[in-house]
Structures are given as C-alpha cells and as structure tokens.
Amino acid sequence: MADQERLEVSEAEVAVHWQEEDYYYPPVEFIAQANMTDAGIYERFSLENFPECFKEYADLLDWYQYWHTTLDTSDAPCWKWFVGGKINACYNCVDRHLPRYRNKAALIFVPEPEEEPHVAITYQELYVRVNEVAALLRDFVGLKTGDRVTIHMPMVPELPIMMLACARLGVIHSVVFAGFSGQACGERIADSGSHILVTMDGYYRNGQLLDHKVKADEALKAAQELGQTVDKVLVWRRHRGQYASQAPMVEGRDYFMDDLLANYGGQRVEPVKMPAEAPLFLMYTSGTTGKPKAAQHSTGGYLSYVAGTSKYVQDIHPEDVYWCMADIGWITGHSYIVYGPLAIAATSVLYEGVPTYPDAGRPWRIAERLNVNIFHTAPTAIRMLRKVGPEEPKKYNYQFKHMTTVGEPIEPEVWKWYYEVVGKGKAVIVDTWWQTETGGFLCSTMPALHPMKPGSTGPGVPGIHPVIYDEEGNEIPAGSGKAGNICIRNPWPGAFQTIWGDRDRYVATYYAKYCKNKESKDWRDWPYLTGDAAMQAADGYYRILGRIDDVINVAGHRLGTKELESACLLVPEVAEASVVPRVDELRGRVPDVYISLKPGYAPSQEIKDAVVKSIEDTIGKIARPKNVYIVPDMPKTRSGKIMRRVLAALSNNQQDVGDVTTLVNPEVVEEIRQMVQGS
Ligand code: WT7
C-alpha cells in the first residue's frame, strides 16, 4: 500500500465544513438550448445498462472500425474499453470537422500583452499546421507510433498543435506544465523514456517575457543523471525568427521549429489508425511517495468520455465561444481545452498569461471582445479576481450562459460572487469534481437538469456510480451526510489505464484498499479509490472534503508532501522536514514547512531561504511554502514517527492539537505553538 501508508494528517482533516445551502435553478433560456434535457439519461446510464451505455459517448466520434468488446475486464483492474475499435484522436478533433466548420475558429489565442492582437486559428488552419508538424516529427525527428515525447511548453497554440500532431502519428505525448522546474521536467523525461523534448524560448507571464529554454538544459542534465539521453530538443520561438532565451542552442541537438517547418509547407500525413486502447498521452501527478507518477490515458475510451462530458456537462455547441482558463499542462487543459472541445467542433479560447494582468478586468475584457459565453475556471482564480476586482465584471458587456468550477472545493460565499457578479445572475454553474487519473468529470450537476447548490459538487455524472466507504470497507449509507472515503463502483471509459511502467503501484494505490478478491475479473470487485474524503447529502449531492493521503491541493494543483520534504532535505543543514497543509484564503491550501537542523547549526534566515530555493528548483514556484519554521525538534512518537497531525493543527490555528500523550517530547509542542501562533 505504498501510496496510502503515511496517513497521519490529511487535507480532509483540516477541511472547513460549511452549512447546507439553498438551491439555485437554471434559467429557462439555458434549458431551452441545452444539449441534455432528458433526465432519462440516468436511466440509460444506470448500472443495469453498464457497460453498453457508453456506446452513446463513443458514437459521438468517427471510428475507422467499430469495437467488438465494449469493456474487457480480463486483466482487471486494467480495464480495456472498445476493444477491436480503430480510431485516431487527431482525425476526430480536426479532419472530420472540415466539411462543416473549415472556416470556423478552432482555437483563439489571446497573448498576455494586451497590445498584441489575438489569433484565431480556423479548423482548416489547424489541419494544415498539425499536418506540417506531424510530417516534421515523422520525417525529421523519426518518431514512430508508441514513442514518447516530452512537451514542456506554455499556453500558446503551438502546444495543442504539437499534441495533435503526436496523436496523428500515435506518438504518446507527455506534457509537463511550463511552471515546473527543469529538474522536475527531467525526472518526467526519464520516467517516460522520451528521447525528444519540445520546448519554447520564452513566454509572457505577468508582464515579463520569461526565459523558458534555460529549463531545457537543466531538464536534459537531470534526465541524463537518471540514465535517459535526449537526442533532439525542438524549440518553438514566441516571436518567429527572434530568439528570446539566454541559453545557447546546442549544435546538432537543438533546432528551431520555425526554421525546420519551412521544409514541410503543405505536407499531409495520413492519421494512423490506432487501436482504441493504445495510449494517447501521459500526465504526471503527485502521490504519497516522492516519485511523481504518470497516468496513462487511452485513445478511444478517453476521447469518447471527454467528448461526451464536454457536450453534456460543459454543454458546448459548435456555435459557442468557450473559454477554459486552466493551463494545458494539467489534465483540465488536456480534457477541456483541447481534446473534449475540439472533438465536438467547439471554438476554444487559449489565454497565455495570468488572469489579473494587467488588472483584474482582463478576463472580462477578453470575454466581452471574443463574445465568450461558456467560462471554466478554478476557485483559486475566482477568489483572486474577487479579491482584487470585486466590481470589475460589472464594467464589461459580456454574458456567460454557463460557468464551471473545478479543482478544489468552492466556498459558498465565493460561489455566490461567481454566480451573482461574474455570471450576472443569469448563468448556470457546475462544480465538477474529478482527477488527473479519471480523465473527465466524476461528479457534477447536469446544467439543465439539476438545481445548483453552492459548495457541493452534485451527484455522479451519467455512468459514474460513487460509493462512500468507511475505513473498514463498510458502505456509509447513501445520503446520510457522514464522511468517508469516496470511491467509484464501476470503470468508465475516461479512466486511466495504469501508472506508466508501474502496474503494481497502480493496483496498490487505487484498487487494493477495498478489493475483496484480488483474483477477480469482475469489475464489481474493484471499486476505484479516489483518495478524497466526501459526504453525501440526502438529495444525493456530494460534498468533497479534500485528500485523505499526503497530497496537498494548492491553488487547484496537486503536490505531494513527500516531494516537498525531499526537496527540504537537499539543504545540507536540514536534519528532518515535515510539510503540512495550511488553509489559505486565496489558494485553498498552501504548504507549511517544518524543519529541524543537524547538530551544530543555528536557525537562520539563510537556511529558510535555501529551503524555499530548493523547493523551487526541484519542483517549481507553484510549490513555494507559505512559512518555513525551524523547530528545535519534531513532535515524535516513541517509535520515532513525526506527528504531522500536531503540526497541521498548529498551522491551522487550532487550539486543540489532539492527544499528545504518546509523544516522547510533548513539551516541544508548546514551543512550536509559540513560534507558529504567537503567545
Ligand atoms: C483532486 C484532483 C480535476 C482536475 C483538476 C485537478 C480535488 C478536484 C474538485 C471539486 C472539490 C476537487 C480533489 C481531487 N478536486 N475537483 N470540484 N471540488 N475538490 O486534478 O490535480 O488530479 O487533483 O483535486 O481533491 O482528488 P488533480
């Protein structure tokens, strides 16, 4: 049980519990145009109709060859969907839309500098550019079906173009969030076995053109140390022909994409007919152990699931202008900026920079100018925009019909601002709960079918059947309002297939806890453990309380406390480190770091700074801790275990730190309290 062992303190334990809220109802104008107004969908997707019900989603796509087996469970719990089917994801997101939507915008790129014009890329243009890049990847780089490519790129159109070009060839892409450090990128290169890194010279963030290519050299060094050699580095340039990085180009290894592409003008590449269960991409995420793990997502199942949920939960129509403000470097961007929306011929907006640049009115100006009518973002962004510009949305003449939140629990108070001010009281909101591993939504209200309830996600989406278990594996009665570990009873097509290269960790982390018969080939014996605590109210809506493992959700991004602790230990003076979640007004949770020093060292600001720097270098700035406390000693049990629960209680201003009688050094708790909470 590698990933579940260190359960001493978890996000769920510091969760803020709020009151049950009243319902808000979807406006009739929304219902009148919605893609899904038939409550019968829940009947069609009931467990009696499982797994055949998911044909309804798969039929949203074009298949070269239909599947013979909807769900193959012979290698449980590695589920195979639509076996025998042949499909290409790029064809489904691009080529097949040409007859009807050739001249419609597929992507609209909004650069961060406001004076730089936005760029609309039509489906025809996307088709041309994806083909040229695919030709280059095949003929110059020599990539073949099944190879892995690491893409460390910011929010620019070249990123989805790159992903789609890979998908066209059946090459497995692994996109690493641009904010991750070179070191973190290198570890992912090595784990995925990529010989190719795709990067960019620089990009705009908060008014600055950041040097991004420097990270490529760090990444290659880190990968090399782990035994992985990268042969080629493909470098896009933010401004064609102008190089924005200080890092030298390495002869025979680094190539400018704009230069290379000059040789591929007008080239076309036949999409490769892929088996439905071939991997489409890898997406790294954090777990309990220090080593990041890659969720391996399939082609046919994944694409069916994100197409279905984009159509019915996001309610996207080809006529809409849809803007998901997430980053493509995370699963939200893969599923709900790129693959889902493009599979259903949407117009998807891509914004390069930060929402508050140059001021808190920026998102609403973008919405007004592009006539965005569906808006998708995370509670962190909503809290931030509310804090710095609570009245800003009122100044702009836009109107959303539909809005989404994702990634963390949203406080009812923040939800109400989103509804009343951002949505101007006329937009539907869905609070979608899901994970990197799940490919698409697990719980949400259906926008035209259910009332909204601030602070709660909703019931399982069609075809998802959640259940809450207690620690012993007893089902907590449905609708009882009691907290427990939320699991999903059944497989679904969007679910990841395994952890790349580590099936044992996959089984141990996600299935072992509640599986009663490890030999079973029946999916009913393998509930999927999400790693979240939740409760279900009498109306069937779930409320997610947070992670039950050593993962902290910071501003909607998942960080493993163990990864942060390992980074602290790289500082020579540090003897022990412990990282706990602290509730934060803006970012949901932030990491608080506690360290003790090796004998002979005195606490100093330099050591604290070195700890922060080490975290930034090994993971990235997103993991920057809120506080670093140098404690005389860690609170420990007699067996030498650090009581992180006590530290978490102190970080979260709790007076009661729980039972400390089992500690060898209970006196240290009071000392730490003084340090953290003052007198
Ligand atoms: C974890 C997954 C889902 C894509 C972005 C994050 C938390 C996610 C919600 C929500 C409350 C949520 C859970 C989950 N989470 N959505 N609507 N309400 N909590 O993906 O990085 O894999 O993180 O985010 O704790 O397990 P991720």
Side-chain angles (χ1 to χ4, degrees):
M1 286 288 297
D3 267 24
Q4 299 294 328
E5 237 162 31
R6 297 172 70 246
L7 254 176
E8 260 179 81
V9 57
S10 67
E11 266 197 10
E13 284 170 51
V14 299
V16 185
H17 294 252
W18 44 71
Q19 301 287 308
E20 283 285 298
E21 293 281 329
D22 290 337
Y23 290 133
Y24 289 67
Y25 292 87
V28 285
E29 295 80 7
F30 180 85
I31 298 170
Q33 60 82 60
N35 281 327
M36 182 50 66
T37 51
D38 172 14
I41 188 169
Y42 287 95
E43 183 54 40
R44 296 202 301 283
F45 280 79
S46 65
L47 278 176
E48 289 79 74
N49 297 325
F50 180 87
E52 298 307 321
C53 53
F54 282 109
K55 180 174 182 296
E56 195 169 325
Y57 284 2
D59 279 342
L60 296 171
L61 305 176
D62 285 0
W63 295 77
Y64 297 114
Q65 189 180 302
Y66 231 45
W67 58 93
H68 51 70
T69 307
T70 304
L71 173 63
D72 175 353
T73 64
S74 61
D75 188 26
C78 293
W79 319 113
K80 294 194 189 78
W81 282 90
F82 310 125
V83 181
K86 290 266 167 62
I87 190 163
N88 184 279
C90 177
Y91 176 86
N92 272 279
C93 291
V94 185
D95 306 43
R96 69 165 180 153
H97 302 316
L98 295 179
R100 277 186 79 177
Y101 299 115
R102 193 179 295 277
N103 294 317
K104 189 183 93 94
L107 299 168
I108 303 178
F109 171 55
V110 181
E112 192 192 73
E114 213 161 358
E115 62 284 2
E116 219 182 286
H118 66 248
V119 183
I121 299 175
T122 62
Y123 273 95
Q124 170 70 17
E125 176 67 9
L126 185 60
Y127 171 75
V128 169
R129 294 185 63 183
V130 166
N131 270 281
E132 291 172 354
V133 172
L136 185 160
L137 292 180
R138 186 188 59 188
D139 300 341
F140 175 76
V141 184
L143 284 170
K144 296 180 306 300
T145 298
D147 288 347
R148 279 82 56 209
V149 170
T150 298
I151 306 177
H152 195 204
M153 285 180 69
M155 284 290 284
V156 292
E158 289 79 5
L159 173 53
I161 287 170
M162 202 74 212
M163 292 159 67
L164 291 164
C166 288
R168 198 166 188 85
L169 300 170
V171 167
I172 303 168
H173 59 70
S174 168
V175 177
V176 175
F177 172 58
F180 272 128
S181 67
Q183 170 81 29
C185 179
E187 283 166 22
R188 286 156 177 78
I189 291 174
D191 185 76
S192 63
S194 299
H195 290 285
I196 307 297
L197 172 66
V198 187
T199 185
M200 189 145 192
D201 60 345
Y203 61 101
Y204 288 96
R205 220 178 142 72
N206 240 332
Q208 300 213 313
L209 183 56
L210 299 186
D211 188 336
H212 186 63
K213 165 65 167 59
V214 286
K215 290 187 179 177
D217 299 301
E218 293 159 19
L220 261 54
K221 186 161 163 274
Q224 190 67 61
E225 277 163 17
L226 293 164
Q228 181 68 25
T229 309
V230 171
D231 310 323
K232 287 192 175 70
V233 179
L234 305 178
V235 184
W236 290 94
R237 283 190 277 202
R238 178 63 178 75
H239 299 286
R240 212 164 269 194
Q242 297 168 34
Y243 186 47
S245 171
Q246 296 299 317
M249 293 289 282
V250 176
E251 176 85 35
R253 187 198 76 181
D254 300 357
Y255 300 89
F256 287 128
M257 282 297 283
D258 48 350
D259 287 349
L260 295 176
L261 278 169
N263 306 319
Y264 294 88
Q267 296 231 5
R268 299 286 183 268
V269 173
E270 262 312 290
V272 178
K273 300 182 170 76
M274 298 299 292
E277 71 276 23
L280 177 63
F281 66 85
L282 307 180
M283 171 59 64
Y284 281 85
T285 187
S286 297
T288 294
T289 65
K291 194 171 172 278
K293 52 189 175 186
Q296 173 186 318
H297 282 284
S298 74
T299 306
Y302 170 82
L303 199 64
S304 301
Y305 196 68
V306 296
T309 48
S310 292
K311 180 156 184 178
Y312 300 128
V313 183
Q314 302 279 54
D315 197 57
I316 306 173
H317 307 62
E319 311 71 69
D320 293 324
V321 181
Y322 163 82
W323 181 16
C324 169
M325 211 167 62
D327 194 292
I328 294 175
W330 305 105
I331 192 71
T332 304
H334 276 51
S335 300
Y336 298 114
I337 298 179
V338 182
Y339 285 113
L342 296 183
I344 57 169
T347 294
S348 185
V349 176
L350 210 118
Y351 173 54
E352 178 177 31
V354 296
T356 48
Y357 182 83
D359 56 70
R362 187 70 192 278
W364 324 125
R365 284 199 291 283
I366 294 171
E368 181 184 81
R369 179 169 181 112
L370 302 181
N371 203 25
V372 173
N373 62 352
I374 307 179
F375 183 66
H376 188 28
T377 193
T380 291
I382 303 170
R383 290 186 209 110
M384 192 80 74
L385 289 162
R386 172 173 178 248
K387 182 165 184 192
V388 293
E391 304 298 322
E392 284 299 308
K394 296 182 182 148
K395 299 185 191 157
Y396 298 95
N397 186 19
Y398 68 87
Q399 182 61 56
F400 299 140
K401 64 174 176 182
H402 190 23
M403 308 193 299
T404 323
T405 97
V406 61
E408 323 150 63
I410 183 167
E411 300 78 1
E413 189 194 320
V414 177
W415 191 100
K416 286 174 195 168
W417 180 78
Y418 196 37
Y419 179 80
E420 270 145 27
V421 183
V422 177
K424 305 180 180 183
K426 291 188 200 150
V428 172
I429 297 179
V430 293
D431 178 345
T432 60
W433 167 70
W434 58 297
Q435 313 176 300
T436 303
E437 295 88 339
T438 71
F441 304 145
L442 293 176
C443 282
S444 172
T445 48
M446 286 291 260
L449 292 175
H450 294 123
M452 312 156 231
K453 190 166 73 175
S456 293
T457 162
V461 296
I464 300 291
H465 301 277
V467 54
I468 301 179
Y469 289 115
D470 67 16
E471 274 301 310
E472 282 69 51
N474 306 306
E475 270 189 54
I476 291 181
S480 64
K482 284 214 186 72
N485 300 333
I486 185 166
C487 296
I488 310 299
R489 291 182 196 275
N490 60 298
W492 65 100
F496 68 139
Q497 302 176 294
T498 185
I499 293 174
W500 173 259
D502 202 346
R503 187 187 198 272
D504 290 348
R505 186 175 178 194
Y506 165 79
V507 178
T509 307
Y510 301 99
Y511 290 98
K513 190 172 172 88
Y514 294 120
C515 176
K516 296 204 180 80
N517 173 10
K518 305 254 153 60
E519 302 307 312
S520 174
K521 304 293 174 203
D522 186 339
W523 57 263
R524 290 170 193 81
D525 289 322
W526 295 94
Y528 167 76
L529 179 72
T530 65
D532 278 334
M535 53 211 244
Q536 190 188 30
D539 58 10
Y541 286 23
Y542 292 93
R543 194 186 305 167
I544 306 300
L545 301 170
R547 304 286 312 183
I548 55 170
D549 51 10
D550 291 320
V551 167
I552 310 183
N553 189 328
V554 179
H557 300 150
R558 222 157 110 182
L559 299 173
T561 50
K562 195 70 190 264
E563 284 171 68
L564 281 112
E565 289 164 6
S566 308
C568 299
L569 294 175
L570 294 176
V571 176
E573 294 88 343
V574 174
E576 287 182 306
S578 190
V579 175
V580 298
R582 172 192 278 267
V583 173
D584 182 79
E585 189 204 344
L586 286 179
R587 286 148 64 83
R589 307 277 191 286
V590 289
D592 257 2
V593 169
Y594 291 82
I595 52 171
S596 63
L597 302 181
K598 289 178 187 159
Y601 290 105
S604 69
Q605 187 58 40
E606 286 69 40
I607 296 176
K608 290 187 186 183
D609 294 345
V611 163
V612 173
K613 180 162 188 318
S614 179
I615 289 173
E616 288 185 359
D617 288 348
T618 40
I619 304 168
K621 286 208 166 64
I622 42 161
R624 189 199 292 256
K626 178 89 175 185
N627 303 291
V628 179
Y629 299 112
I630 304 182
V631 299
D633 196 9
M634 295 287 181
K636 279 192 192 143
T637 63
R638 277 170 225 288
S639 59
K641 270 178 85 176
I642 299 175
M643 287 286 270
R644 297 164 72 251
R645 180 167 51 77
V646 170
L647 299 174
L650 293 175
S651 274
N652 289 287
N653 270 321
Q654 292 168 10
Q655 294 307 310
D656 178 13
V657 297
D659 185 8
V660 293
T661 53
T662 58
L663 294 184
V664 271
N665 52 355
E667 69 290 345
V668 81
V669 175
E670 200 40 49
E671 259 181 85
I672 303 176
R673 184 202 297 281
Q674 295 280 338
M675 187 182 287
V676 178
Q677 300 181 346
S679 48

